[in-house]
Amino acid sequence: MNVTQRAEPCATRISGPIITATGMSGAQMYEVVQVGELGLVGEVVRIIGDLATIQVYEDTTMLKPGAKVLCTGAPLSVSLGPGLVGNIYDGIQRPLPGIEAKSGAWIRRGEKVEALDNARRWTFEPLAAKGDTVGPGQVIGQVVETPLVTHRIMVPPDVSGSVLSIVGKGDYTLLDPVAVIGTPEGEREVTMLQRWPVRQPRPIRERLRIADPLITGQRIIDTFFPLGKGGAAAIPGGFGTGKTITQHQLAKWSDAEIIVFIGCGERGNEMTEVLREFPELEDPRSGRPLMERTILIANTSNMPVAAREVSIYTGITLAEYYRDMGLSVAVFADSTSRWAEALRELAARLEEMPAEEGFPASLPTRLAQFYERGGAVTTLAGDRASVSIVGAVSPPGGDFSEPVTQHTRRFIRCFWALDTELANARHYPSIHWLRSYSEYAEDVKGWWEGSCPDWEDLRTEALTLLQREERLQQIVKLVGPDVLPDSQRLILFIAEIFKDGFLAQSAFDENDMYCSPEKQVALLRLILTLYHRGRDLIQEGVPLAKVTGMECVSEVLRAKAALSNKELHKVEELAKRLAEEAGELERQYMKGAACYE
Ligand SMILES: Nc1ncnc2c1ncn2[C@@H]1O[C@H](COP(=O)(O)OP(=O)(O)O)[C@@H](O)[C@H]1O
Ligand SMILES: [Mg+2]
């Protein structure tokens, strides 16, 4: 190396994904750089004098001190435009199918592939006219991106002025100007492609109070621990308790218009399974492939930790972009613990002072930077829209007191606690009804009460019954069930019916996998009716065995799977039969009682 080259930025120390470089006095925090002959992509994460620390998103094997570092002058950004939906990306938005096609292998270092296909033509339909005054985020046209998604072309967040020209309906590439806007700074050409730095939230007009539930079709979630559209939920659980299956169920069934699924595989081949399975899933509402409203971000286990670290910000940025079109978006991250481990590994290499269990002290801030980008908002264009977030957490040994679960709790308002015992008993979803909570129940109450005025009463009564059952079970454990009066044993019985006939829900049963809100209310009311009638009968002296022996009881248990969402009238018929049977029992008993008088 000669002396003149020494002034150029070059690597001096390489430690896995972390590189130290000199000659970097011009660099900025979070600026993207390219390292070595392959041009490995990295990001500046620390600057001291002319020394910069860089985290590299690609494998640094064979890289040597002296490798040149090229500053790009821009922060890590994603490309936004038609073609995102249906795509599968790695953590820095390199399309995995694209990379595969180009290099023949899974992913090759330094591979440069555009995130979006710049050659493809999209049919642009103008929604603004020459002379219109437009501001940031305003819609000037649209493109049918997939049969399920109409993509709105928006004025970039830093542009406002009057439309000087706009193209007519026709086919254009992402790089073709579709409009020219006269701004105070001069003319600006607008294309269908935007860039946005991933670590910076996209602007909105205002945040709104959450009012609508994200309907997931999963009874324990919608009825007992609802997530609001724009809310954030955590789903913590030990290995094998059902985090991934639950998130797949939600991705499939929730009434969000766009799904962003960020996978940080728990097991080595788990992401490969996701990559294979997702494209085969069907959107149950439209019958179309689920990928027509889904974007996948996959961190396979052979990808470097730095790419995993940034992947959740890449995912949330894509989600915000679709939110800005006025859509409801749901983001799933599976699992944030793998992401936190990436953070821990990077922090260790950066020789940062570790805090709890080796995680960096910045863990809570970093979690906040993710969860706080969710929300219900008014977009710059004035539409209501939302980003809902569901993060899986996999605490080692299922112990919720560990740092990732604890810090996550501060930024979410909905906690679906998966329980190992329930999972072992094959009670799925293994969300524990006493250890879970949702602070959104109050927010979404109005929505439910629009069709079911006593929703809150029903929900509260059912949850109270489940709580009373837990206390009674403790007595039973100590002294056996025989000491309990029939009225309390009825509670044990009804709680069992709730667990089997309502809370447990099969992801694989045709009728049961999705339960409409109407059916949820009908089943809830049915079981509570059984409770009320049983309570009355017992008060009148009818023995518990007679109540639990009623013929309709087994039908109540089976209703969730035996009746489809379209057969609500049959739930009503069942309720009628229940009333008749209970009435008959009452008459029999009254007669019998009269005989003895
Ligand atoms: N809702 C469900 N319905 C039926 N089976 C389930 C359900 N959830 C989980 N399971 C079972 O539990 C297993 C482990 O679930 P998984 O989601 O992979 O766990 P985790 O991601 O928490 O490690 C699944 O393979 C499946 O057999
Ligand atoms: Mg999993």
Side-chain angles (χ1 to χ4, degrees):
M1 187 184 295
N2 67 34
V3 180
T4 50
Q5 274 179 329
R6 282 197 67 89
E8 278 182 26
C10 72
T12 54
R13 176 169 179 256
I14 297 153
S15 162
I18 299 292
I19 290 180
T20 311
T22 59
M24 297 285 290
S25 51
Q28 298 165 33
M29 258 320 253
Y30 295 120
E31 178 173 354
V32 169
V33 298
Q34 294 181 356
V35 186
E37 283 180 4
L38 288 172
L40 306 181
V41 179
E43 192 181 17
V44 175
V45 293
R46 182 193 284 160
I47 310 170
I48 302 168
D50 79 337
L51 277 187
T53 309
I54 297 161
Q55 73 183 31
V56 179
Y57 297 115
E58 300 178 79
D59 185 3
T60 53
T61 308
M62 306 295 285
L63 206 62
K64 288 189 217 139
K68 286 217 183 89
V69 175
L70 185 74
C71 295
T72 64
L76 189 68
S77 303
V78 282
S79 298
L80 304 169
L84 290 170
V85 170
N87 232 316
I88 303 174
Y89 290 113
D90 74 356
I92 53 171
Q93 211 203 7
R94 291 182 302 177
L96 294 183
I99 288 174
E100 198 177 11
K102 192 167 170 190
S103 64
W106 186 235
I107 204 161
R108 201 186 281 166
R109 293 193 297 160
E111 198 71 71
K112 302 284 180 287
V113 184
E114 293 294 340
L116 292 169
D117 183 352
N118 289 337
R120 177 165 174 185
R121 289 179 175 275
W122 297 90
T123 306
F124 173 86
E125 188 188 329
L127 293 176
K130 187 176 168 181
D132 286 356
T133 305
V134 292
Q138 218 156 324
V139 178
I140 56 166
Q142 65 183 22
V143 165
V144 176
E145 186 172 6
T146 73
L148 299 181
V149 179
T150 299
H151 191 117
R152 291 171 159 198
I153 306 301
M154 297 171 287
V155 176
D158 59 337
V159 176
S160 60
S162 66
V163 178
L164 298 180
S165 68
I166 183 160
V167 296
K169 185 169 178 177
D171 294 348
Y172 301 92
T173 71
L174 296 183
L175 303 178
D176 293 332
V178 290
V180 178
I181 295 176
T183 74
E185 296 83 41
E187 291 184 5
R188 268 286 290 270
E189 283 183 341
V190 175
T191 65
M192 291 190 268
L193 183 69
Q194 294 189 18
R195 300 274 300 165
W196 191 263
V198 298
R199 297 191 193 271
Q200 189 181 328
R202 282 174 64 84
I204 52 167
R205 187 179 293 174
E206 62 172 341
R207 287 181 90 87
L208 298 173
R209 225 177 58 85
I210 285 170
D212 295 334
L214 182 79
I215 293 299
T216 67
Q218 311 304 305
R219 286 183 295 268
I220 187 162
I221 293 179
D222 293 348
T223 297
F224 290 126
F225 309 110
L227 174 60
K229 278 206 175 93
I235 171 161
F239 186 74
T241 49
K243 298 177 292 295
T244 303
I245 299 251
T246 306
Q247 287 204 327
H248 284 198
Q249 279 291 93
L250 300 188
K252 209 168 153 186
W253 292 108
S254 66
D255 62 348
E257 288 153 299
I258 299 282
I259 304 292
V260 178
F261 197 97
I262 310 163
C264 307
E266 203 89 51
R267 284 169 275 125
N269 57 356
E270 189 168 295
M271 270 329 286
T272 330
E273 279 166 33
V274 169
L275 295 180
R276 211 178 30 239
E277 277 169 22
F278 252 80
E280 281 167 17
L281 292 180
E282 197 179 84
D283 173 33
R285 284 190 188 79
S286 62
R288 311 269 330 165
L290 192 65
M291 284 307 285
E292 289 181 358
R293 62 178 176 100
T294 305
I295 306 173
L296 270 184
I297 300 198
N299 293 285
T300 57
S301 48
N302 58 347
M303 289 180 193
V305 286
R308 198 196 302 163
E309 187 274 322
V310 80
S311 64
I312 68 167
Y313 304 107
T314 296
I316 201 87
T317 307
L318 300 184
E320 285 177 341
Y321 175 64
Y322 281 90
R323 172 205 66 193
D324 293 347
M325 296 176 204
L327 301 176
S328 65
V329 185
V331 177
F332 299 95
D334 184 24
S335 136
T336 58
S337 296
R338 293 289 92 77
W339 166 82
E341 279 161 20
L343 208 60
R344 174 163 66 186
E345 189 174 332
L346 290 168
R349 300 230 186 228
L350 286 166
E351 288 156 17
E352 276 179 20
M353 183 78 92
E356 304 140 280
E357 295 186 17
F359 289 107
S362 60
L363 175 68
T365 322
R366 305 302 300 278
L367 280 168
Q369 282 167 352
F370 173 58
Y371 284 107
E372 284 171 358
R373 287 174 73 171
V377 306
T378 306
T379 64
L380 292 180
D383 296 308
R384 275 187 82 95
S386 61
V387 172
S388 315
I389 304 182
V390 177
V393 188
S394 26
D399 170 15
F400 292 173
S401 65
E402 59 86 45
V404 183
T405 316
Q406 283 308 314
H407 289 305
T408 300
R409 266 180 195 253
R410 296 164 50 188
F411 310 113
I412 50 103
R413 289 174 59 207
C414 184
F415 192 77
W416 298 320
L418 298 186
D419 185 73
T420 311
E421 256 175 59
L422 287 176
N424 288 344
R426 303 203 64 72
H427 173 109
Y428 292 116
S430 69
I431 299 174
H432 199 287
W433 45 92
L434 297 180
R435 298 194 231 311
S436 303
Y437 59 82
S438 170
E439 291 171 15
Y440 299 112
E442 196 58 34
D443 300 332
V444 303
K445 189 172 88 180
W447 184 93
W448 282 93
E449 290 183 348
S451 57
C452 171
D454 55 345
W455 182 76
E456 190 180 26
D457 295 340
L458 296 177
R459 177 179 177 273
T460 309
E461 185 172 14
L463 275 176
T464 310
L465 272 172
L466 290 164
Q467 276 159 5
R468 288 176 68 186
E469 188 239 12
E470 163 122 322
R471 282 200 297 276
L472 291 173
Q473 287 294 4
Q474 285 166 356
I475 300 177
V476 170
K477 256 185 223 149
L478 286 177
V479 288
D482 296 342
V483 296
L484 297 181
D486 275 359
S487 60
Q488 293 189 338
R489 283 163 63 189
L490 175 71
I491 292 176
L492 298 185
F493 172 72
I494 295 293
E496 283 313 308
I497 297 212
F498 259 118
K499 289 182 217 169
D500 293 344
F502 193 88
L503 299 174
Q505 186 170 356
S506 166
F508 307 113
D509 180 276
E510 188 76 25
N511 279 340
D512 202 24
M513 51 175 80
Y514 175 83
C515 188
S516 69
E518 296 76 20
K519 187 175 164 191
Q520 298 190 29
V521 169
L523 291 177
L524 184 64
R525 199 184 291 285
L526 180 67
I527 299 174
L528 285 172
T529 306
L530 175 62
Y531 172 58
H532 296 153
R533 296 302 289 147
R535 197 177 51 187
D536 294 347
L537 288 170
I538 284 170
Q539 222 162 36
E540 284 165 23
V542 178
L544 175 68
K546 290 274 180 207
V547 175
T548 59
M550 287 198 295
E551 262 174 40
C552 59
V553 166
S554 63
E555 283 183 66
V556 171
L557 261 177
R558 280 202 312 268
K560 65 170 188 181
L563 307 179
S564 75
N565 289 302
K566 295 201 179 74
E567 295 176 306
L568 292 187
H569 58 282
K570 292 200 179 165
V571 182
E572 268 163 44
E573 283 166 26
L574 185 52
K576 229 182 262 164
R577 249 180 302 137
L578 183 133
E580 282 163 15
E581 234 185 295
E584 181 59 28
L585 203 57
E586 189 174 19
R587 272 191 297 280
Q588 272 175 17
Y589 175 76
M590 295 304 252
K591 242 193 256 162
C595 287
Y596 292 110
E597 266 170 13

